[in-house]
Amino acid sequence: MWKNSHIIVDDIFQGFSDGNDAVLTRTELYNKLLKNEVDLENVNFILGQGINELDLRNMLRSLDVDTSKFTFANENKYVKASQNNTHKHYFQNILVSVARRLENKTYEMDLMLDGGNEFFSDHMTGQHVQGMAIIEAARQAFLSVTEQFYLASKDEKFYFVINDINIKYKRFVFPVASTIQYTILEERLTDDRMSFDVSVDVIQDGKICANTLVSFTVFEYNTIDEKEKRAAAKVVSSLLEQHSTTVLDKELA
């Protein structure tokens, strides 16, 4: 039976749809429209994760559906953060919106999941969003805030190093509207590096679902690049030496 209000989610969240009568995937909605199973007189769509209003309206328009009596509730009103700020090559792998400053050291972002995201391509269990996607969202949050508010005016290239990361899962995160609150607990800024201790909360339905504590350092790229090259060369040299010793021992046996 058709309900006037439905949450619409991306097809990848089929498990969430299967478990809740008021939730439809994009394809399920499309099929219901084809079969005339939608009461077009009074429809309220609540946009869940992986769905945007423009895409949904275009789908309805392609089916010649009059949407004059439709409402579209969408709590995520901001665009995704940039590929540069999140250090991602592919747009579908970006999980956070542009950041908004709430207070001097506190920022807010929307969680923005995409069905084509790398974390959903090979593992989906049950109705909730998998934990690794939440960790990646926290990682993108600290990258994006730092790039947007600390590095945007700088011409140099920078390198981020995670010193410590700890996440506590408190509740399931489901594929509906969620926000990320990012708080800088401590910052240490010098001429050649920036170090931060931050707290990243994923909030859904007014409740903290996951909290991540991260300590990270931002170096000028040339500084860390040389250290990385020396460390890599040392490991390669050590492995070659070990292999050479093993071969020599076999030859002498």
Side-chain angles (χ1 to χ4, degrees), residues 43-58:
V43 180
N44 178 38
F45 289 138
I46 302 166
L47 306 189
Q49 293 289 346
I51 296 293
N52 67 72
E53 184 176 333
L54 179 60
D55 176 60
L56 200 56
R57 285 187 181 275
N58 285 338

Side-chain angles (χ1 to χ4, degrees), residues 146-156 158:
T146 309
E147 291 278 9
Q148 186 178 337
F149 291 95
Y150 287 82
L151 303 179
S153 62
K154 298 182 180 297
D155 295 327
E156 302 90 334
F158 292 89

Side-chain angles (χ1 to χ4, degrees), residues 1 5 7 71 73 134 182 199 214 218:
M1 182 177 178
S5 293
I7 299 170
T71 59
I134 302 304
Y182 179 95
S199 176
V214 188
V218 186

